[in-house]
Amino acid sequence: MLIVSTDFQFVPIVETASLTDETFYRLRSCATGHYLTLPENLQTNTSLRLSATPDAGNIWMKDGNHLLAYASGYYMNGTTHGALDQAAEYQFEAHPTVPGAYAVKWNESYLQVQDGVPATTSSASDETTAWQVVPTALLPVDVSASGYSTLFAPQTLAAQDETTIYAATLDQTAGRFKLTSTDGIVPAGQGVVIKATEGRHWFGISQAASTVTSDLTGSLATTRAVPAVFTLQNGSDGVCFYRYATDGAGSVDGLLLKGFKAYWQGPADTSTSSYRLDFDH
């Protein structure tokens, strides 16, 4: 029997569960009960930590054999927060001595808790190398003082509070994005605009079917920016989609597009510098 859980309770199931791609989890140490965490807003190559509290910094998405951090869009690399494009490949094996737990292996090493911090060891022999997989039912989104944010997710989500979610359709002639309410749903694989009060808002994994489409796209992993990409910014014309660039010529050298955020990718010859938002739809 494998013991898994939601964010706040244990749920026993009959058969050993397999991890599913593009699904969100937390990893909880059987030795300490704490979650494998990378505190938010830290630089890459920072060592992982353990946290007693489930929060944004310990949400991971399975991406093939990789683990992608939701809070940053960077991959886990050994026991550190990997730099761009650096990602270890992990295997989740049934733990040999702790029923219902996993041993997490990469190369010839296992993820271990040693002296209260994540470490490595050559074998999985006791509970210090045992991890529970905790399915994550809620994802956080931080809304800035402007009252807006964006989101791009692999699963359908539903707003849990007073939040308005919009799909966007570009009207190239008018130079605007027409925003249409999605009735509180973030469709899987579609970029959306979020309007809400400043602060953290929560979105639940939803089984609802949605046929809503949006002209906005996104990337699950943080990636290097490419020319003619437009991101939501609060600039000279207010909150609009502005060209993401370091100069008037459209240079994106050194710029990154953060994972799980929405943007619009224009044609290479796009000359417009910004697109306004039209909420009348």
Side-chain angles (χ1 to χ4, degrees), residues 38-44 48 56-60 67-76 81-82 84 219-223 256-261:
L38 184 94
E40 297 175 69
N41 302 319
L42 291 187
Q43 298 296 317
T44 58
L48 300 172
N58 43 52
I59 297 175
W60 303 89
L67 291 172
L68 183 64
Y70 172 74
S72 66
Y74 286 98
Y75 287 98
M76 182 169 152
H81 191 219
L84 192 67
S219 173
L220 299 179
T222 295
T223 185
L256 299 176
L257 291 169
K258 187 176 181 181
F260 301 102
K261 293 296 184 182

Side-chain angles (χ1 to χ4, degrees), residues 22 24 61 70 139 150-157 186-192 203 205 217-220 260-262:
E22 297 190 344
F24 297 95
M61 189 195 83
Y70 172 74
L139 297 179
T150 66
L151 183 61
F152 180 80
Q155 295 177 287
T156 298
L157 307 175
V186 178
Q190 303 292 319
V192 298
F203 295 78
I205 306 297
T217 186
S219 173
L220 299 179
F260 301 102
K261 293 296 184 182

Side-chain angles (χ1 to χ4, degrees), residues 236-253:
S236 58
D237 293 327
V239 178
C240 301
F241 275 89
Y242 293 90
R243 183 183 292 273
Y244 193 44
T246 59
D247 58 30
S251 171
V252 292
D253 290 347

Side-chain angles (χ1 to χ4, degrees), residues 3 7 9 14 40 47 56 80 94 120 125 128 158-159 171 178 222 266 271:
I3 303 298
D7 286 354
Q9 62 180 343
V14 175
E40 297 175 69
S47 295
T80 67
T120 63
S125 58
T128 65
D171 184 335
K178 297 179 179 179
T222 295
S271 59

Side-chain angles (χ1 to χ4, degrees), residues 195-209:
K195 184 177 182 181
T197 56
E198 181 181 4
R200 177 157 290 182
H201 297 263
W202 294 89
F203 295 78
I205 306 297
S206 174
Q207 301 303 314

